[in-house]
Amino acid sequence: MKTKYLHFNERDLDTAGRLIRKGELVAFPTETVYGLGANALDLQAVSKTYAAKGRPSDNPLIVHIYDKSQIYDIAEQISDDARKVIDDVMPAPITIVLPKRAVISDTITAGLPTVAIRMPLSEEARQFLRAAGVPVTAPSANISGRPSPTNWQRVKEDMDGKISAVMCGEPCRVGIESTVLDLSDEPRILRPGAVSAEYLSRLLGKQVYVLNDPTSKVNSPGIRYRHYAPKVPMVLEQNDDVEKLCRYFDEKTAEGYHPVLWVHEPLRFGGRNAVEMGLDDGDVANKMFETMRKLETQYDFIIASFCRRSPCYDGPAGQGVEDRLIRACGHTFI
Ligand code: TXA
Ligand code: MG
């Protein structure tokens, strides 16, 4: 298949909308990561998503909308908490999970009685969704297990020849996937993202917890899988222990690796290969997946350090960043 590379002008948006309605896959930018869009009302289209990504079909998909009124067509039993999030937070880098209506098939929800819904903040994303005119399922537009793409060039790397079109928009501003907030029962976060637990707790006037056990089935099957992984081995250090990091680097070098330290302050590592992770939570999130994809081509072992006492952890995206790093290293800590 020859993949079309489309732009945000009237003619290309029209083409993209027609492709979606015809049941084709079109990748598009959002403020979090690029998504791989399919018509949520067309099961054959949705099924193509799993094949293109090489993704297990027991991992449910998020349905993307451009107008809040669409929520009421696909979900029901909207609680007061849900209404508050819909009215006061969306559009934002957040996904809400609600009891589904029959129009949403089990293929999308992997058999769950709930549906995940997201209205992106990105203007480009909403232009694309409006052009489609139907609810659009969209996982991140990467091959399953790889770091999510935050610019269209990375989508091309993973998806060229496998999908009908890519909307070439701006690089993503947030850089990590949306916060997934389950509102089908007591509110709880199934995946941390840039909309923080602290903010949601304040908004709803109650404690909103982050479910953080990747081995549990909970209600978010997707978080069971090893995710976001670079192609080379990666480990994570969590105390900003410079001495330990240096020792580990030297051991790996002695074993014949060409390792890199991915750290808060690269200048402290005595000339060893070290790359800065970012200055604050937003900066780290914004560069994270792109840096993983760069480092894996230049080095053969990534030694990451992310510490709860660093300024990178304070701030709304801190928890989401830590979550992605833990999954990227496959829970291998040093
Ligand atoms: O930022 C994002 O959310 C991006 C962009 C493209 O919008 N999309 C994205 O989709 O990250 P994906 O497929 O990579 O992640 C979807 C997450 C998974 O963790 C999945 O398990 C969860 O949402 N999910 C989907 N439907 C669910 C449901 N009914 N109940 C619980 N979790 C659900
Ligand atoms: Mg994903």
Side-chain angles (χ1 to χ4, degrees):
M1 169 182 306
K2 182 152 170 47
T3 303
K4 289 190 175 75
Y5 290 85
L6 303 173
H7 299 273
F8 280 84
N9 55 54
E10 219 169 293
R11 197 192 58 191
D12 282 6
L13 277 165
D14 189 62
T15 304
R18 260 187 296 116
L19 287 171
I20 286 288
R21 289 190 300 280
K22 253 179 54 190
E24 300 293 331
L25 300 182
V26 180
F28 65 101
T30 81
E31 72 278 16
T32 58
V33 302
Y34 270 68
L36 181 55
N39 180 354
L41 306 177
D42 176 346
L43 287 194
Q44 248 170 348
V46 173
S47 304
K48 287 184 190 168
T49 315
Y50 295 109
K53 276 184 67 87
R55 165 167 168 152
S57 58
D58 61 343
N59 192 358
L61 298 167
I62 297 172
V63 177
H64 292 67
I65 57 167
Y66 59 93
D67 191 295
K68 291 182 187 179
S69 67
Q70 293 174 283
I71 296 171
Y72 302 88
D73 301 333
I74 57 185
E76 58 188 11
Q77 297 169 45
I78 310 216
S79 64
D80 291 346
D81 286 340
R83 209 171 297 273
K84 222 180 265 175
V85 174
I86 293 166
D87 291 346
D88 298 357
V89 186
M90 294 167 81
I94 192 169
T95 294
I96 57 173
V97 173
L98 291 169
K100 76 174 187 76
R101 286 189 187 277
V103 58
I104 295 298
S105 120
D106 283 345
T107 308
I108 292 174
T109 68
L112 293 172
T114 51
V115 58
I117 305 171
R118 168 153 144 73
M119 179 173 177
L121 183 58
S122 149
E123 188 52 46
E124 286 182 343
R126 279 185 283 151
Q127 276 180 21
F128 164 77
L129 294 167
R130 201 172 296 122
V134 289
V136 169
T137 53
S140 46
N142 50 287
I143 292 170
S144 191
R146 297 272 301 134
S148 300
T150 53
N151 54 56
W152 67 262
Q153 291 87 347
R154 296 300 187 186
V155 177
K156 182 173 182 192
E157 237 173 60
D158 280 15
M159 293 294 155
D160 191 50
K162 296 185 195 162
I163 64 177
S164 288
V166 176
M167 292 299 302
C168 303
E170 291 165 357
C172 305
R173 273 178 297 140
V174 174
I176 59 171
E177 302 84 350
S178 61
T179 302
V180 178
L181 175 67
D182 186 357
L183 288 164
S184 66
D185 198 342
E186 270 311 291
R188 50 191 192 153
I189 292 174
L190 304 178
R191 177 177 72 183
V195 178
S196 70
E198 199 184 333
Y199 170 82
L200 291 167
S201 300
R202 229 180 306 122
L203 176 85
L204 299 177
K206 59 175 87 166
Q207 193 65 43
V208 178
Y209 293 100
V210 181
L211 283 194
N212 225 350
D213 179 3
T215 58
S216 131
K217 288 195 175 178
V218 292
N219 274 351
S220 194
I223 65 179
R224 286 205 307 278
Y225 301 101
R226 182 166 182 232
H227 256 135
Y228 323 114
K231 284 179 177 155
V232 301
M234 174 168 150
V235 295
L236 183 63
E237 189 280 334
Q238 294 186 287
N239 293 301
D240 201 21
D241 182 341
V242 173
E243 218 174 285
K244 187 184 194 179
L245 286 161
C246 287
R247 215 179 323 120
Y248 197 85
F249 180 97
D250 294 344
E251 277 167 28
K252 285 294 148 194
T253 306
E255 285 171 29
Y257 284 104
H258 177 47
V260 63
L261 293 154
W262 188 22
V263 292
H264 299 301
E265 289 173 58
L267 290 179
R268 296 185 301 166
F269 292 87
R272 293 172 181 83
N273 297 324
V275 169
E276 186 190 283
M277 191 174 268
L279 295 174
D280 58 40
D281 64 303
D283 190 28
V284 180
N286 180 266
K287 301 200 284 216
M288 187 163 64
F289 290 132
E290 185 60 21
T291 306
M292 277 184 208
R293 284 187 183 240
K294 276 190 189 136
L295 294 182
E296 70 179 15
T297 66
Q298 295 164 3
Y299 303 94
D300 58 14
F301 203 106
I302 301 172
I303 306 164
S305 169
F306 188 77
C307 176
R308 288 199 173 173
R309 293 185 311 278
S310 92
C312 301
Y313 188 75
D314 302 334
Q319 239 181 328
V321 163
E322 183 189 64
D323 171 83
R324 303 312 187 275
L325 287 170
I326 291 175
R327 290 171 200 288
C329 76
H331 295 254
T332 317
F333 302 102
I334 60 163

